Every structure is written in C-alpha cells, then in structure tokens.
Amino acid sequence: MRIAVLSRNPNLYSTRRLKEAIEDAGHEALIIDHSLCDLVIEQEGPSIFYKGEKLRDIQAIIPRIGASVTFYGTAVVRQFELMGAFSAVESQAIVRSRDKLRSLQILSREGLGMPKTAFTNFSKGGEKQLIDQVGGAPLIIKLLEGTQGLGVVLAETKKAGQSVIEAFHGLKARIIVQEFIKEAKGADIRAFVVNGKVVGAMKRQGEEGEFRSNLHRGGQATVIKLSTAERRAALAAAKALGLAVAGVDMLQSARGPLILEVNSSPGLEGIEKATGVNIAGKIVEYIEASANKKTSKSKIKQ
C-alpha cells in the first residue's frame, strides 16, 4: 500500500515516526507537503499535482495539517478522499475540530463535561457581564485561533479580565472566556485516541507559576492511568467530532473530567516518550484495517 503523510516538514518527530511505522509495516511511505499541491477539478474527475507531477495510486493518507493552513490543507485532504484514498482523519472532522467554538458547542450538545465557557459579539461595556457568566475571576481568556498555549491568558481579577477582553475586542480578535479550574493545579491530561480506543495517556504539568501545561511552553509529561470516567469522556469527545485519530485534552476537576480541546493533528513525541507506546504504529494498523475494508466494499459494489 502507498501511504502518504501530509506534512510541511519531513524533519518533525511526528512525520518521521509515521514514515518509519509505515515502512516497518511493509508499505511505501511518501511525505507530501500539502501546501505545494495543486488541485485540478474537471469533468474527468479530481486530481492532484505535486511539484509538477500527477499523484497516482495513493491508497491512504495521514493528514498533519497545521492550524495556519487549515483551509487549504483540508481542501487537499478532501481532494484525496474524492479520489478514493482513505484518510486517517476525515477532512470535515478536521474543519469541525479546528473551530474551537463549534467544537465546544458540539461537546456541550453531547452533555460532556467542560469548563463553563462564554462567547459574545464585540460589545462595549459587556466585559463584566461576560466574566460573570463564567463565575467571575480568576478566569481564562482564549483566542479562538490560538494554538500550543499561545493566545491564552489567566486573569486573576475581574478588573484584569475586563482589561484583557477590552484589548482583544479592540483588536477585533475573537475570544472565548472560561472558568478557571483551580484544582487542576496547572496540569491537564492528554488521551490519545485511535479508532475508538485510548492507546496512550499522559499528564502534562506546567512549570512552577505557569497555568498552561503545554509541552511547547515548558510543561513536563508523565504517563498516567485514566479513570473510567476519563476514558469514557475522551472516547465520547473524539466520537462527537468524528475523529478516528485525536488527542483529547482534559482537566481533572472536583466534578469529573472536563474537556478542554480535541486535537485533530496531535503530536506524537510527548505521548510516545511518556508512555513508551508505539502510537505511530497504532495509526498505521488502523489504516491497514480500514483501507482494506474500504477496498472490499468497493469490489462488492462493482
């Protein structure tokens, strides 16, 4: 099978590990920079050209689409899907998960635990009301487009919160505000889901004095055994957003696990090093089983 990893950087840990896992399983691995793909749409059907060459006979893809190129990246994934390739993460699921507000709305509809969250249109003088809706200070203020802990602010007081919200609104930046979960103590959990199973989980602890636990912000990762409630929450969150491969970030709270975010392109380095689990291999196993099923169904239809 020819399996393509859609990645803009072949030297990234996740990209290298996926390539190794594909080849270890006896398949041909290709690294394709999706930002350099040209999509051709015509009566004869969709096609993709990469560096001037028409791509052919790719049975499956593993999208590693960065947030900054979500629109074009998902268009490339969709084109591969239309050409009959199996995608480890569906294009529409990527779009759904990248919209933080929409994903939280979906999780709320499913009755999943989450920090209380509020969103509003730009309105002068509405900052105090927005803060009150999530229980007052301290509170978290997040840019909707932020990633890896960037654009996330902890406001210790209501006055500080009003100032930050006013500043973001003055820049016409879309934000959400969330209640601060004190008992989490600057830590969160990432559960890695592949094909309806949690294949690894780690606890990420932020540096002393840092409320963000992201590894990119200096957080430390250790392996953790999930509770039944945490495992169920992770699986339900991935399912709600239609993600077969996902990193589900949760907080431990007095009222149970609270979903922060569901990532459609979760990094492999932290989770593999913390758990010792071959996560890349698990993704390839999922592709093998799913792509074979898709091929069988196509033959039956014919």
Side-chain angles (χ1 to χ4, degrees), residues 12 19 30 52 58 66 71 91 98 120 128 145 160 174 184 209 220 238 257 260 277 296:
L12 289 176
K19 183 176 184 293
L30 295 83
I58 294 176
F71 179 83
S91 57
R98 284 290 162 76
T120 189
K128 184 177 181 299
E145 292 80 17
R174 295 290 183 184
Q220 298 296 315
L260 283 175
V277 176
S296 298

Side-chain angles (χ1 to χ4, degrees), residues 6 34 63-74 77 89-104 106 143-148 241 243 245 261-267:
L6 305 186
H34 40 280
R64 302 290 306 172
I65 308 299
S68 63
V69 291
T70 296
F71 179 83
Y72 197 79
T74 51
V77 175
V89 185
E90 293 182 358
S91 57
Q92 192 54 43
I94 298 173
V95 172
R96 196 181 297 122
S97 66
R98 284 290 162 76
D99 187 332
K100 290 185 181 180
L101 181 61
R102 183 183 179 190
S103 62
L104 288 172
I106 292 170
L143 279 172
L144 283 178
E145 292 80 17
T147 61
Q148 299 177 349
L241 295 181
L243 292 167
V245 176
E261 186 176 0
V262 185
N263 194 319
S264 57
S265 295

Side-chain angles (χ1 to χ4, degrees), residues 8-20:
R8 298 176 71 192
N9 187 348
N11 298 315
L12 289 176
Y13 178 93
S14 298
T15 305
R16 289 189 286 106
R17 283 289 299 117
L18 288 166
K19 183 176 184 293
E20 290 171 5

Side-chain angles (χ1 to χ4, degrees), residues 5 16 24 26 29 35 41 45 80 84 104 118 129 139 143 153 156 158 171 232 239 242 254 256 259 265 278 284 301:
V5 180
R16 289 189 286 106
D24 288 345
S35 69
I41 305 156
F80 271 111
L104 288 172
Q129 179 178 324
L139 70 150
L143 279 172
V153 178
E156 298 278 6
K158 186 175 288 188
L171 296 171
R232 286 175 177 170
K239 182 179 180 181
I259 307 295
S265 295
N278 180 4
V284 174
K301 288 180 181 179

Side-chain angles (χ1 to χ4, degrees), residues 31-42:
I31 308 298
I32 295 174
D33 183 344
H34 40 280
S35 69
L36 301 180
C37 289
D38 296 325
L39 311 183
V40 177
I41 305 156
E42 56 186 337

Side-chain angles (χ1 to χ4, degrees), residues 6-288:
L6 305 186
S7 172
R8 298 176 71 192
N9 187 348
N11 298 315
L12 289 176
Y13 178 93
S14 298
T15 305
R16 289 189 286 106
R17 283 289 299 117
L18 288 166
K19 183 176 184 293
E20 290 171 5
I22 292 167
E23 293 174 342
D24 288 345
H27 306 293
E28 181 184 352
L30 295 83
I31 308 298
I32 295 174
D33 183 344
H34 40 280
S35 69
L36 301 180
C37 289
D38 296 325
L39 311 183
V40 177
I41 305 156
E42 56 186 337
Q43 186 175 355
E44 285 73 16
S47 58
I48 298 175
F49 285 78
Y50 182 59
K51 297 182 178 179
E53 296 290 330
K54 188 173 183 178
L55 293 176
R56 303 176 188 275
D57 302 322
I58 294 176
Q59 285 77 43
I61 60 171
I62 305 175
R64 302 290 306 172
I65 308 299
S68 63
V69 291
T70 296
F71 179 83
Y72 197 79
T74 51
V76 174
V77 175
R78 186 162 55 248
Q79 190 87 337
F80 271 111
E81 291 170 340
L82 293 171
M83 291 164 58
F86 173 80
S87 180
V89 185
E90 293 182 358
S91 57
Q92 192 54 43
I94 298 173
V95 172
R96 196 181 297 122
S97 66
R98 284 290 162 76
D99 187 332
K100 290 185 181 180
L101 181 61
R102 183 183 179 190
S103 62
L104 288 172
Q105 289 172 320
I106 292 170
L107 297 176
S108 174
R109 180 192 65 194
E110 298 299 316
L112 292 171
M114 66 181 67
K116 191 171 184 180
T117 303
F119 173 76
T120 189
N121 203 8
F122 304 117
S123 58
K124 186 69 175 176
E127 295 83 7
K128 184 177 181 299
Q129 179 178 324
L130 198 63
I131 292 170
D132 289 340
Q133 286 170 342
V134 298
L139 70 150
I140 302 294
I141 302 164
K142 293 182 179 180
L143 279 172
L144 283 178
E145 292 80 17
T147 61
Q148 299 177 349
L150 297 173
V152 181
V153 178
L154 169 63
E156 298 278 6
T157 66
K158 186 175 288 188
K159 188 171 182 179
Q162 287 179 241
S163 297
V164 173
I165 294 171
E166 285 175 2
F168 277 136
H169 278 179
L171 296 171
K172 302 299 181 183
R174 295 290 183 184
I175 60 169
I176 55 174
V177 300
Q178 290 184 323
E179 66 173 313
F180 178 65
I181 308 301
K182 184 178 180 181
E183 60 266 33
K185 299 179 181 179
D188 73 3
I189 293 171
R190 167 160 288 186
F192 208 106
V193 176
V194 178
N195 194 25
K197 296 180 181 178
V198 175
V199 296
M202 62 180 174
K203 186 170 186 176
R204 303 181 297 188
Q205 180 66 58
E207 291 183 316
E208 186 174 349
E210 174 60 76
F211 72 96
R212 296 170 297 181
S213 59
N214 304 72
L215 302 185
H216 290 86
R217 308 265 73 79
Q220 298 296 315
T222 56
V223 66
I224 186 175
K225 183 177 180 180
L226 298 182
S227 68
T228 300
E230 289 163 350
R231 186 175 297 273
R232 286 175 177 170
L235 295 176
K239 182 179 180 181
L241 295 181
L243 292 167
V245 176
V248 182
D249 297 339
M250 301 178 283
L251 294 178
Q252 293 177 309
S253 79
R255 61 181 191 266
L258 304 178
I259 307 295
L260 283 175
E261 186 176 0
V262 185
N263 194 319
S264 57
S265 295
L268 302 183
E269 185 170 10
I271 192 77
E272 286 198 336
K273 290 183 176 179
T275 64
V277 176
N278 180 4
I279 303 291
K282 299 289 186 184
I283 295 172
V284 174
E285 288 174 8
Y286 162 59
I287 290 173
E288 289 175 325

